[in-house]
Every structure is written in C-alpha cells, then in structure tokens.
Amino acid sequence: MGQLHWAEYAIEASLLGTFMVAACVAVAVFEHPASPVLRRFTSPLIRRALIGTLMGLTAIALIYSTPGQRSGAHMNPGTTLTFFFLGKVRPLDATFYIIAQFFGGFGGVLVARAALRRAVAHDKVRFAATLPGSKGLRTAWIAEFTIAFLMMSMVLWSSNLASTAPYTGIFAGLMVATFIAIESPLSGMSMNPARSLGSALHARAFRGLWIYFTAPPLAMLGAALLFTSIRGAGCVYCAKLEHPHDVVHACIFNCRIEQMPGWGRDVTRSSHSGISSLPAR
C-alpha cells in the first residue's frame, strides 16, 4: 500500500484553506457595498490590482512558509496531477493531496463564513466565487487554460534551474497578482478546481463550474508535455515549488534535487541527507 504522509496532506489542506480565507476577506473588504475601502477606490481595475497584490503576497508567504516547504505548496489538484504525470508524486500521495486540497478549499471558505457572516455572502462578494464573465463560457475556458498554462510553464522552467529555483514562489505570487488584476473579469481567475468548488458550494454558484475542472488541469498537463519535449523528463527534479537547502523532513516525492546542475553549490552536501529517492510510480 505504501507509506501515508498525513502531515503533508494536512498541510496541503491548511495552505489552501488559508488562501481561501484571505480571498474571502480581500473580496469583502474591496467589494462589499458597505466597505469604506470600496468608496475610496472606485475604479474596478485598481480594486482588482489591490486584491491581486494581497493574494499574490499570500501565495508567496504560503509557498515559502515552513509548512509550504515541507508539502511543496501545490494547493491545487492540477499541480499535483501534473507532477504525478511527470513521475514525481506517488499515486497514494497524489490521491490524498487532491482530497486534502478539496477539503481545504471548502474549509477555508467555511472559516471565512463563520468570521464574516453576512458580509461574505453578499451578492458582491459571494464567498469569492470564480464565475465566467460577460464574454461567455468559451472565453472563460480559454482564459483559464491560458493562465494555467503560463503558471505551470513558469513553475517547471523556474524550479528546475538552480539560478531561478529560489524565486519560483515569488514569480508565482507576481503571476497571481497580475492575473487577478487583468484576467479575472473573464473567468474569475481560478486556475484551481478545489478553489472554485470550495466557493461554489457555499455560494451555490455552479454556472460554468466545469470550466475550472477541465481547463486548468489540461493546461498544466500541456505545459508539462511542452517542457519535457524540450528539456526531457529527466530535467524535472522534484515536485516542490520551493525546495529548502536545509532539509529537516525527508522529501516525500521522487526527489532528485541534488542532481540539478548548480544546486547547493555553496551548501554542505550532507544537509540533503534527509532527501529520499522514491520510485516514480
């Protein structure tokens, strides 16, 4: 059956849950009609940019947090499926990661609902639900596919190059901020089926939900195919967005981080002794 990594599964749930609490709070602060912030910033673009900045910073903080470094900070079934496809995550771990992410998405909105009460349920907030924009379902699907493809492409190219790997989380946060500011009118900017379902269940807003279950995972798999066709599958070294040099807990993935050219050049090799090498599948 294989070893279960309950700590990492719990971390994945808590990371996405925290992100969803932040999302609900941010949308309530900037979009609720009673909010003084809404009266201060009347431009929708500026409000989206500010929400994006907050959510980008939240993503960065979660990725570089100690728990995020331990689990790899996937926070997204599409990300986990992609690394499973690439042979970096075992089937059992992939299954429980995805289950945990869906529970985390729902649970985070539940916490926000308990804290914010009617404010988060208002029509202008709607539990931070991601919904197709006025340009329709087809445009929303294409938009979701595009941003998810760009995000996973960045993750793969950046995290597998020693000179840029330490900045992958920062790049991810910048992209989250940019997409929320620019793309969210088209699809709500999800890239994440667990994130979208968590809000949809509370808001009872299921229009176009299939978009978020199809476009992001397919786009991420497409990005992986492109990466491996250019660099080769052997150039994917681990499934973590941020891999610390000083390993406290053994990496649960099929980790080959020490084989990355230039990795740990100035770090004592023995600091990686906790990294395990697991069978791909």
PDB file of all heavy atoms in Angstrom, residues 16-18 20-21 24 103-113:
ATOM      1  N   LEU A  16      -4.315  25.713   1.378  1.00  0.00           N
ATOM      2  CA  LEU A  16      -5.380  26.220   0.517  1.00  0.00           C
ATOM      3  C   LEU A  16      -6.490  26.836   1.360  1.00  0.00           C
ATOM      4  O   LEU A  16      -7.098  27.835   0.952  1.00  0.00           O
ATOM      5  CB  LEU A  16      -5.943  25.106  -0.372  1.00  0.00           C
ATOM      6  CG  LEU A  16      -6.985  25.581  -1.393  1.00  0.00           C
ATOM      7  CD1 LEU A  16      -6.425  26.707  -2.268  1.00  0.00           C
ATOM      8  CD2 LEU A  16      -7.472  24.433  -2.263  1.00  0.00           C
ATOM      9  N   GLY A  17      -6.759  26.267   2.525  1.00  0.00           N
ATOM     10  CA  GLY A  17      -7.757  26.856   3.410  1.00  0.00           C
ATOM     11  C   GLY A  17      -7.387  28.275   3.797  1.00  0.00           C
ATOM     12  O   GLY A  17      -8.226  29.186   3.783  1.00  0.00           O
ATOM     13  N   THR A  18      -6.128  28.492   4.134  1.00  0.00           N
ATOM     14  CA  THR A  18      -5.658  29.840   4.478  1.00  0.00           C
ATOM     15  C   THR A  18      -5.791  30.780   3.294  1.00  0.00           C
ATOM     16  O   THR A  18      -6.207  31.943   3.439  1.00  0.00           O
ATOM     17  CB  THR A  18      -4.193  29.788   4.940  1.00  0.00           C
ATOM     18  OG1 THR A  18      -4.081  28.918   6.071  1.00  0.00           O
ATOM     19  CG2 THR A  18      -3.682  31.171   5.309  1.00  0.00           C
ATOM     20  N   MET A  20      -7.951  30.609   0.923  1.00  0.00           N
ATOM     21  CA  MET A  20      -9.366  30.913   0.714  1.00  0.00           C
ATOM     22  C   MET A  20      -9.901  31.894   1.748  1.00  0.00           C
ATOM     23  O   MET A  20     -10.740  32.741   1.432  1.00  0.00           O
ATOM     24  CB  MET A  20     -10.190  29.621   0.730  1.00  0.00           C
ATOM     25  CG  MET A  20      -9.907  28.699  -0.452  1.00  0.00           C
ATOM     26  SD  MET A  20     -10.036  29.534  -2.044  1.00  0.00           S
ATOM     27  CE  MET A  20     -11.727  30.102  -2.013  1.00  0.00           C
ATOM     28  N   VAL A  21      -9.435  31.788   2.982  1.00  0.00           N
ATOM     29  CA  VAL A  21      -9.822  32.783   3.989  1.00  0.00           C
ATOM     30  C   VAL A  21      -9.362  34.166   3.533  1.00  0.00           C
ATOM     31  O   VAL A  21     -10.127  35.147   3.570  1.00  0.00           O
ATOM     32  CB  VAL A  21      -9.218  32.440   5.364  1.00  0.00           C
ATOM     33  CG1 VAL A  21      -9.430  33.601   6.342  1.00  0.00           C
ATOM     34  CG2 VAL A  21      -9.836  31.171   5.925  1.00  0.00           C
ATOM     35  N   CYS A  24     -11.556  35.458   0.618  1.00  0.00           N
ATOM     36  CA  CYS A  24     -12.871  35.939   1.059  1.00  0.00           C
ATOM     37  C   CYS A  24     -12.760  37.280   1.765  1.00  0.00           C
ATOM     38  O   CYS A  24     -13.579  38.184   1.538  1.00  0.00           O
ATOM     39  CB  CYS A  24     -13.522  34.903   1.979  1.00  0.00           C
ATOM     40  SG  CYS A  24     -14.059  33.391   1.138  1.00  0.00           S
ATOM     41  N   PHE A 103     -10.875  19.499   0.509  1.00  0.00           N
ATOM     42  CA  PHE A 103     -11.342  19.783   1.866  1.00  0.00           C
ATOM     43  C   PHE A 103     -10.848  21.151   2.325  1.00  0.00           C
ATOM     44  O   PHE A 103     -11.582  21.901   2.981  1.00  0.00           O
ATOM     45  CB  PHE A 103     -10.869  18.690   2.832  1.00  0.00           C
ATOM     46  CG  PHE A 103     -11.808  17.528   2.941  1.00  0.00           C
ATOM     47  CD1 PHE A 103     -11.529  16.327   2.296  1.00  0.00           C
ATOM     48  CD2 PHE A 103     -12.970  17.624   3.679  1.00  0.00           C
ATOM     49  CE1 PHE A 103     -12.390  15.255   2.381  1.00  0.00           C
ATOM     50  CE2 PHE A 103     -13.852  16.552   3.779  1.00  0.00           C
ATOM     51  CZ  PHE A 103     -13.563  15.360   3.123  1.00  0.00           C
ATOM     52  N   GLY A 104      -9.608  21.479   1.991  1.00  0.00           N
ATOM     53  CA  GLY A 104      -9.058  22.766   2.383  1.00  0.00           C
ATOM     54  C   GLY A 104      -9.788  23.928   1.744  1.00  0.00           C
ATOM     55  O   GLY A 104     -10.057  24.947   2.399  1.00  0.00           O
ATOM     56  N   GLY A 105     -10.111  23.799   0.459  1.00  0.00           N
ATOM     57  CA  GLY A 105     -10.836  24.861  -0.222  1.00  0.00           C
ATOM     58  C   GLY A 105     -12.189  25.119   0.416  1.00  0.00           C
ATOM     59  O   GLY A 105     -12.574  26.267   0.674  1.00  0.00           O
ATOM     60  N   PHE A 106     -12.933  24.044   0.688  1.00  0.00           N
ATOM     61  CA  PHE A 106     -14.240  24.179   1.320  1.00  0.00           C
ATOM     62  C   PHE A 106     -14.107  24.694   2.746  1.00  0.00           C
ATOM     63  O   PHE A 106     -14.845  25.587   3.180  1.00  0.00           O
ATOM     64  CB  PHE A 106     -14.967  22.837   1.324  1.00  0.00           C
ATOM     65  CG  PHE A 106     -16.327  22.883   1.968  1.00  0.00           C
ATOM     66  CD1 PHE A 106     -17.447  23.283   1.258  1.00  0.00           C
ATOM     67  CD2 PHE A 106     -16.480  22.536   3.308  1.00  0.00           C
ATOM     68  CE1 PHE A 106     -18.701  23.343   1.856  1.00  0.00           C
ATOM     69  CE2 PHE A 106     -17.728  22.579   3.917  1.00  0.00           C
ATOM     70  CZ  PHE A 106     -18.841  22.984   3.178  1.00  0.00           C
ATOM     71  N   GLY A 107     -13.138  24.140   3.472  1.00  0.00           N
ATOM     72  CA  GLY A 107     -12.972  24.511   4.871  1.00  0.00           C
ATOM     73  C   GLY A 107     -12.555  25.949   5.053  1.00  0.00           C
ATOM     74  O   GLY A 107     -12.995  26.626   5.993  1.00  0.00           O
ATOM     75  N   GLY A 108     -11.705  26.453   4.162  1.00  0.00           N
ATOM     76  CA  GLY A 108     -11.277  27.837   4.262  1.00  0.00           C
ATOM     77  C   GLY A 108     -12.438  28.802   4.106  1.00  0.00           C
ATOM     78  O   GLY A 108     -12.551  29.786   4.858  1.00  0.00           O
ATOM     79  N   VAL A 109     -13.313  28.531   3.138  1.00  0.00           N
ATOM     80  CA  VAL A 109     -14.493  29.381   2.956  1.00  0.00           C
ATOM     81  C   VAL A 109     -15.427  29.252   4.149  1.00  0.00           C
ATOM     82  O   VAL A 109     -16.072  30.230   4.557  1.00  0.00           O
ATOM     83  CB  VAL A 109     -15.213  29.031   1.637  1.00  0.00           C
ATOM     84  CG1 VAL A 109     -16.422  29.938   1.425  1.00  0.00           C
ATOM     85  CG2 VAL A 109     -14.258  29.152   0.453  1.00  0.00           C
ATOM     86  N   LEU A 110     -15.505  28.057   4.723  1.00  0.00           N
ATOM     87  CA  LEU A 110     -16.341  27.851   5.906  1.00  0.00           C
ATOM     88  C   LEU A 110     -15.844  28.704   7.068  1.00  0.00           C
ATOM     89  O   LEU A 110     -16.646  29.317   7.792  1.00  0.00           O
ATOM     90  CB  LEU A 110     -16.328  26.372   6.291  1.00  0.00           C
ATOM     91  CG  LEU A 110     -17.253  25.958   7.442  1.00  0.00           C
ATOM     92  CD1 LEU A 110     -18.718  26.206   7.076  1.00  0.00           C
ATOM     93  CD2 LEU A 110     -17.024  24.489   7.794  1.00  0.00           C
ATOM     94  N   VAL A 111     -14.545  28.778   7.254  1.00  0.00           N
ATOM     95  CA  VAL A 111     -13.981  29.620   8.312  1.00  0.00           C
ATOM     96  C   VAL A 111     -14.301  31.087   8.044  1.00  0.00           C
ATOM     97  O   VAL A 111     -14.709  31.829   8.949  1.00  0.00           O
ATOM     98  CB  VAL A 111     -12.455  29.415   8.411  1.00  0.00           C
ATOM     99  CG1 VAL A 111     -11.826  30.446   9.343  1.00  0.00           C
ATOM    100  CG2 VAL A 111     -12.134  28.007   8.905  1.00  0.00           C
ATOM    101  N   ALA A 112     -14.131  31.510   6.782  1.00  0.00           N
ATOM    102  CA  ALA A 112     -14.451  32.892   6.431  1.00  0.00           C
ATOM    103  C   ALA A 112     -15.934  33.181   6.636  1.00  0.00           C
ATOM    104  O   ALA A 112     -16.309  34.272   7.088  1.00  0.00           O
ATOM    105  CB  ALA A 112     -14.059  33.163   4.981  1.00  0.00           C
ATOM    106  N   ARG A 113     -16.765  32.203   6.345  1.00  0.00           N
ATOM    107  CA  ARG A 113     -18.214  32.372   6.529  1.00  0.00           C
ATOM    108  C   ARG A 113     -18.553  32.562   8.000  1.00  0.00           C
ATOM    109  O   ARG A 113     -19.399  33.401   8.356  1.00  0.00           O
ATOM    110  CB  ARG A 113     -18.941  31.154   5.957  1.00  0.00           C
ATOM    111  CG  ARG A 113     -20.450  31.257   5.959  1.00  0.00           C
ATOM    112  CD  ARG A 113     -21.069  30.097   5.217  1.00  0.00           C
ATOM    113  NE  ARG A 113     -22.488  30.317   4.968  1.00  0.00           N
ATOM    114  CZ  ARG A 113     -23.232  29.562   4.164  1.00  0.00           C
ATOM    115  NH1 ARG A 113     -22.671  28.538   3.510  1.00  0.00           N
ATOM    116  NH2 ARG A 113     -24.508  29.825   3.981  1.00  0.00           N
TER     117      ARG A 113
END
